[in-house]
Amino acid sequence: MTQENDPVEGTPLITPSSIEHPLFDASVEAVRSVYDPEIPVNIYDLGLIYTIDINDENEVNVIMTLTAPGCPVAGEMPGWVQEAISGVAGVKTVDVALVWEPPWGMEMMSDEARLELGFM
């Protein structure tokens, strides 16, 4: 018996991003300007940004996580992301949601982040 909130088999755990949207690349570059103060790698390459969804009205919805729920900047980092993407020309609004599922893991880091942190 499944519950109403259980994911349907085959449904991605992370909603896909709007990679084809003209503002996607600029939004990613904006997010790459945001760093976790404790880790010398930007939060995009750390794998903390799960989804950047941009609709036809140029409204951006970001789903992100943190390395741990007890992160000292948990209350501030979503605002930093919102501020960074708000500066992209053409973006109308930015909404950032902080989630804990699926939990972040080191496998979510880009190769660049792994190299920077000495894991490669």
Side-chain angles (χ1 to χ4, degrees):
M1 184 165 158
T2 62
Q3 294 195 356
E4 203 170 302
N5 293 335
D6 286 349
V8 175
E9 187 174 330
T11 301
L13 292 176
I14 299 172
T15 305
S17 292
S18 304
I19 58 173
E20 299 297 325
H21 195 284
L23 295 176
F24 179 77
D25 290 339
S27 296
V28 167
E29 286 310 307
V31 172
R32 280 194 165 122
S33 72
V34 179
Y35 283 75
D36 182 319
E38 298 178 333
I39 306 171
V41 175
N42 72 73
I43 64 169
Y44 188 83
D45 288 327
L46 275 177
L48 299 181
I49 302 298
Y50 286 168
T51 305
I52 298 175
D53 182 45
I54 310 169
N55 66 20
D56 292 339
E57 286 77 43
N58 296 343
E59 298 166 331
V60 181
N61 290 299
V62 177
I63 300 172
M64 68 173 292
T65 195
L66 299 173
T67 55
C71 178
V73 293
E76 299 172 54
M77 199 172 296
W80 298 344
V81 171
Q82 182 178 25
E83 187 176 312
I85 297 176
S86 292
V88 173
V91 167
K92 186 175 180 182
T93 61
V94 181
D95 182 53
V96 180
L98 186 61
V99 299
W100 303 109
E101 291 294 325
W104 178 85
M106 290 178 56
E107 71 280 356
M108 295 175 169
M109 289 191 287
S110 69
D111 287 343
E112 292 82 4
R114 291 172 202 255
L115 189 61
E116 179 74 26
L117 296 173
F119 295 119
M120 286 182 70

